Amino acid sequence: MGDNRGFLPGGPSNSNEVPPSLTGNSASHGGAPSRRLWWLMISLNIFVLLAGQTAAMLLGRFYYDQGGNSKWMATLVQTIGFPFLFIALLFFPRSTTSSSPSSPLLHLSLIYLVLGLIIAGDNLMYSYGLLYLPVSTYSLICASQLAFNSVFSYFINSQKFTALIFNSVVLLTFSAALLGVNEDSDGSSNLSRKYYVLGFVLTLGASATYSLILSLMQLSFEKVIKRETFSAALDMQIYTALVAACASVIGLFASGEWTGLKGEMEGFKSGKVSYILTLVGTAVSWQVASIGVVGLVFVVSSLFSNVISTLALPVIPVFALIFFKDTMGGVKVIAMLIAIWGFASYVYQHYLNDLKGKRDAEENRRDVSQDQSDDLITSTMVGGHDTTHMHEPEMTIFVKEVQGIIVAIEE
């Protein structure tokens, strides 16, 4: 898998929260439409993430299968497409009326620099893993990122877990593991044990590092950047990708791999044009996926984004069946269904959170209205006499009138 898949911002530190920028703070400000917008954004970001990630992974496998062998080039294409993200800024321009104070430029620069360098190293580990391991084993190890993310989110982002969320994590991880065990049984790997162990360790380390990056970026948004805007999220993605791309270019030249790129292109099985299109398509696909990742972490949480990223692991064999004529056995179908079950479990948890948020907002509105009525009743004098000395019918009429005024004011 691997990649720039999530070099994203923060979002609510609690997966049970709905961002105030989307839900609104009161019923009078259109809470229902805002919640519908929230779910629409989630659905759109999920589609973008899965489509981009699936295309990028298939193209990455195509690159190696057709004769590509440069690890630094495979690393570079994961972030070199960052200028593509400027298109997204056309639809989400930077706000000039934000009340949040701007973060010091030095602090932002240090964050982008450090995270960008970590991202470059993480992408390189993924590139080695994809080269040295069968796709099945690679997917199995990548699924461990959910376990790492759970730990980092708990300690760094105060992430809360429910039974449904835990169930989703277990199911998605088991789905990828089932797929890996099934493909391993086909005996598709002829690598020596030395390279197998190296690929295993690097992929495992990359999965842990990837999860740490998600949590650190979320923490950066909450503690330093403090701007809940999509453009701020894209800034994080763009500048960290810029740093990672520069580091990858340096690695490409420092390693000497650049000297073999011409021969690699000429020896590409499907031709020179296909070689260039493969690299360009991979770069663009990762950036398309990154937009979805950024959106999900911003709108929901890093854990949710990681769960959706893992969902693509058992789905990819379907596309491999279409484009590469791979076999689609019964175990792969079961793995895909388990992944969908886990995904549905997680979405259902957020649906329950949404319903609870609606009920809490309505109860708070009624409590405020009742408190205002009681305060007005006890403090208002009618005809120079305390309202407590009214007859019961008069009191009832008066209470209804006061409540009617309060409702009119709220509307």
Side-chain angles (χ1 to χ4, degrees), residues 32-46:
S34 295
R35 289 190 181 92
R36 286 195 292 269
L37 175 62
W38 185 65
W39 282 105
L40 177 62
M41 290 185 66
I42 289 178
S43 301
L44 179 61
N45 283 311
I46 288 175

Side-chain angles (χ1 to χ4, degrees), residues 3-22:
D3 359 84
N4 87 347
R5 301 165 294 170
F7 306 127
L8 26 77
S13 60
N14 186 339
S15 66
N16 297 336
E17 297 175 3
V18 179
S21 59
L22 295 175

Side-chain angles (χ1 to χ4, degrees), residues 101-240:
S102 299
S103 302
L105 180 60
L106 178 61
H107 292 175
L108 286 177
S109 299
L110 287 175
I111 290 174
Y112 296 152
L113 177 62
V114 172
L115 290 178
L117 293 176
I118 296 175
I119 288 167
D122 188 53
N123 288 347
L124 181 62
M125 287 191 289
Y126 273 123
S127 297
Y128 271 97
L130 188 59
L131 176 64
Y132 291 149
L133 294 176
V135 176
S136 57
T137 306
Y138 179 78
S139 300
L140 170 62
I141 301 172
C142 285
S144 66
Q145 69 193 42
L146 281 175
F148 289 118
N149 195 210
S150 300
V151 175
F152 290 131
S153 295
Y154 179 81
F155 288 104
I156 298 177
N157 307 120
S158 301
Q159 182 77 53
K160 293 183 179 179
F161 293 93
T162 65
L164 284 173
I165 292 177
F166 181 76
N167 178 65
S168 175
V169 172
V170 171
L171 287 174
L172 287 168
T173 303
F174 179 71
S175 173
L178 183 62
L179 178 64
V181 171
N182 176 62
E183 290 190 356
D184 278 343
S185 65
D186 296 336
S188 58
S189 176
N190 296 317
L191 296 173
S192 67
R193 179 173 178 80
K194 172 184 175 182
Y195 288 114
Y196 180 88
V197 172
L198 178 61
F200 181 91
V201 172
L202 290 176
T203 305
L204 186 64
S207 298
T209 304
Y210 168 75
S211 299
L212 177 61
I213 290 170
L214 297 185
S215 295
L216 289 178
M217 285 191 168
Q218 183 170 328
L219 183 66
S220 298
F221 257 72
E222 294 169 354
K223 302 300 183 181
V224 180
I225 299 176
K226 298 179 180 179
R227 284 188 292 125
E228 295 183 352
T229 62
F230 198 78
S231 61
L234 286 175
D235 283 343
M236 171 68 81
Q237 171 65 23
I238 289 171
Y239 293 118
T240 55

